[in-house]
Amino acid sequence: MASADIAMLTTMDANTHTAAQIFEAFQRDGAVIVHNMLSDDVRSQLRNELAESMRDTRPGTKSSDTGVQEFWGSNTKRFTRLAMRSKAFRDNVLVHPILLGVADAVLRPHCASYWMNTGQMMIIGPGEKAQWLHRDADNWPLVLGPGERQVTVSCMFALSDFSAEGGATRVVPGSHAWDNFERKALDHEITQAVMPAGSGLLYSGTVLHGGGNNTTTDTWREGMHLSYVVGWLTPEEAGCVGLPEELARTLTPLQQQLLGYRCYTGDAKAARLWTIDYEDIPTAMNWE
Ligand SMILES: O=C(O)CCC(=O)C(=O)O
């Protein structure tokens, strides 16, 4: 935490701060705001390509599970398959160099490659209450705990301005380094990622965070979440099911890897995961 008493996030700028400075703040606080991660052109292309899904997606989940209902939010729109829906997502977000740089540093010590955990629009509507604070690595409890290896990193891109009243993400800086992950955050330890459109909140899979309370009557907070997870764990989203093969084969090897169209080749002799006919996917599907 930047101050002993008041929770604060460091704010940097993609145009003026170095990758090393951004990573230093990320490591120290477990999260950092970076302005200008997306240019106006890219952000407007994303919003155009996703406009129909943003408009037509109904808030809330179809699940009857009350836990899912509460976590999702009753007036929050969520949808995935962003790589299918948006070229700007494929080319500018999925492979964003700042996020890839952080993921390389944090995840690569624990895996031969990582893939997309999920790319998800999280659009918080008027009246939505605050989501419970959680760690993204809660998905994989066997590898979550103080001092455990890091298995996931995330970025929340702001496609619209993130204001406190509009439900900007709540974050507990420093909570990634607590020695007790059962501990609840105190009010003064929680801050919000207030940031202009085009910014990104980079955060560790072990930092406490959650969607904010939207107290407005007319503002939808447009968040685009992208996370990666080590290649030997099951991601939240079935990335390759959401992307047609005809499109996948036109992408770069890195995009294919991130979207689940390449196998995971581990360090152990002959260890390969996520194969078809025990071959890598492009080989089995005769792409090359
Ligand atoms: O919407 C947000 O700001 C965060 C949401 C979140 O962390 C989640 O749904 O996992």
Side-chain angles (χ1 to χ4, degrees):
M1 206 185 300
S3 147
D5 298 313
I6 305 161
M8 276 175 55
L9 283 166
T10 299
T11 298
M12 299 207 159
D13 192 302
N15 296 327
T16 51
H17 289 94
T18 64
Q21 288 172 314
I22 293 170
F23 187 60
E24 189 189 339
F26 174 95
Q27 288 287 75
R28 185 188 61 234
D29 298 337
V32 57
I33 293 171
V34 182
H35 288 180
N36 293 310
M37 277 186 79
L38 302 176
S39 68
D40 287 347
D41 283 353
V42 167
R43 191 169 62 84
S44 116
Q45 195 185 335
L46 287 164
R47 295 185 78 245
N48 286 339
E49 290 171 340
L50 298 171
E52 205 177 309
S53 304
M54 293 209 270
R55 188 193 60 220
D56 294 346
T57 299
R58 322 257 340 144
T61 177
K62 297 189 177 82
S63 170
S64 56
D65 185 297
T66 53
V68 175
Q69 288 170 1
E70 194 181 336
F71 188 79
W72 183 299
S74 59
N75 203 29
T76 294
K77 298 184 181 191
R78 292 173 185 259
F79 59 87
T80 64
R81 290 185 281 172
L82 303 184
M84 177 195 73
R85 293 177 146 117
S86 165
K87 177 167 165 47
F89 176 82
R90 295 192 294 274
D91 294 346
N92 302 99
V93 180
L94 180 67
V95 289
H96 196 291
I98 295 180
L99 182 55
L100 285 176
V102 170
D104 281 347
V106 173
L107 304 181
R108 286 301 301 280
H110 315 301
C111 63
S113 63
Y114 49 86
W115 52 345
M116 185 179 76
N117 175 49
T118 186
Q120 184 177 140
M121 287 304 296
M122 299 178 175
I123 308 174
I124 296 186
E128 184 63 270
K129 58 185 201 266
Q131 187 184 44
W132 74 67
L133 295 172
H134 58 278
R135 295 177 164 91
D136 281 352
D138 287 341
N139 277 329
W140 307 277
L142 290 181
V143 282
L144 174 63
E148 249 302 352
R149 75 201 88 186
Q150 299 289 310
V151 294
T152 186
V153 296
S154 302
C155 185
M156 175 65 85
F157 292 93
L159 296 198
S160 64
D161 290 337
F162 271 34
S163 65
E165 54 284 3
T169 309
R170 297 191 307 149
V171 185
V172 185
S175 55
H176 65 310
W178 288 357
D179 54 14
N180 175 9
F181 278 9
E182 299 302 314
R183 158 157 124 64
K184 300 274 177 266
L186 305 172
D187 284 349
H188 76 271
E189 294 176 309
I190 306 171
T191 185
Q192 277 185 280
V194 172
M195 53 188 177
S199 307
L201 167 71
L202 291 156
Y203 58 102
S204 153
T206 52
V207 83
L208 281 170
H209 70 282
N213 174 204
N214 185 331
T215 57
T216 71
T217 52
D218 56 1
T219 303
W220 289 81
R221 189 219 68 175
E222 297 171 3
M224 174 179 274
H225 166 104
L226 171 64
S227 45
Y228 304 133
V229 62
V230 292
W232 43 269
L233 281 176
T234 309
E236 202 170 305
E237 178 181 347
C240 63
V241 179
L243 184 74
E245 189 193 337
E246 309 79 67
L247 180 52
R249 62 189 295 170
T250 68
L251 302 180
T252 66
L254 176 61
Q255 289 170 313
Q256 291 166 353
Q257 174 77 52
L258 292 169
L259 293 166
Y261 270 97
R262 294 260 163 179
C263 78
Y264 176 82
T265 305
D267 291 336
K269 199 171 174 190
R272 293 200 300 180
L273 307 174
W274 203 250
T275 58
I276 293 182
D277 295 333
Y278 198 47
E279 296 284 3
D280 197 3
I281 297 171
T283 310
M285 304 306 272
N286 297 315
W287 291 359
E288 309 168 317

Coordinates of all heavy atoms in Angstrom, one line a residue, residues 72 88 112 184 187 274:
W72 N -22.3 -12.6 -10.1 CA -22.5 -12.0 -11.4 C -23.0 -10.6 -11.3 O -22.6 -9.7 -12.0 CB -23.4 -12.9 -12.2 CG -23.7 -12.5 -13.6 CD1 -24.3 -11.4 -14.0 CD2 -23.5 -13.3 -14.8 NE1 -24.5 -11.4 -15.4 CE2 -24.0 -12.6 -15.9 CE3 -22.9 -14.6 -15.0 CZ2 -23.9 -13.1 -17.2 CZ3 -22.9 -15.1 -16.3 CH2 -23.4 -14.3 -17.3
A88 N -10.4 -5.9 -33.0 CA -9.5 -5.0 -32.2 C -9.2 -5.8 -30.9 O -8.1 -5.6 -30.4 CB -10.3 -3.8 -31.8
A112 N 5.6 -23.3 -19.1 CA 6.2 -23.2 -20.4 C 5.5 -22.1 -21.2 O 6.1 -21.5 -22.1 CB 6.3 -24.5 -21.1
K184 N -10.3 -10.6 6.4 CA -11.2 -9.7 5.7 C -10.5 -8.3 5.6 O -9.9 -7.9 6.5 CB -12.5 -9.5 6.4 CG -13.3 -10.8 6.6 CD -14.1 -11.1 5.4 CE -14.8 -12.5 5.5 NZ -14.1 -13.6 4.8
D187 N -12.3 -1.4 5.9 CA -12.8 -0.3 5.0 C -11.7 0.6 4.5 O -11.7 0.9 3.3 CB -13.9 0.5 5.7 CG -15.2 -0.2 5.8 OD1 -15.3 -1.3 5.1 OD2 -16.1 0.2 6.5
W274 N -3.4 -30.9 -24.0 CA -4.3 -30.2 -24.9 C -4.0 -30.5 -26.4 O -3.7 -29.6 -27.2 CB -4.3 -28.7 -24.7 CG -5.5 -27.9 -25.1 CD1 -5.6 -27.0 -26.1 CD2 -6.8 -27.9 -24.5 NE1 -6.8 -26.5 -26.2 CE2 -7.6 -27.0 -25.2 CE3 -7.4 -28.6 -23.4 CZ2 -8.9 -26.8 -24.9 CZ3 -8.7 -28.4 -23.1 CH2 -9.4 -27.5 -23.8

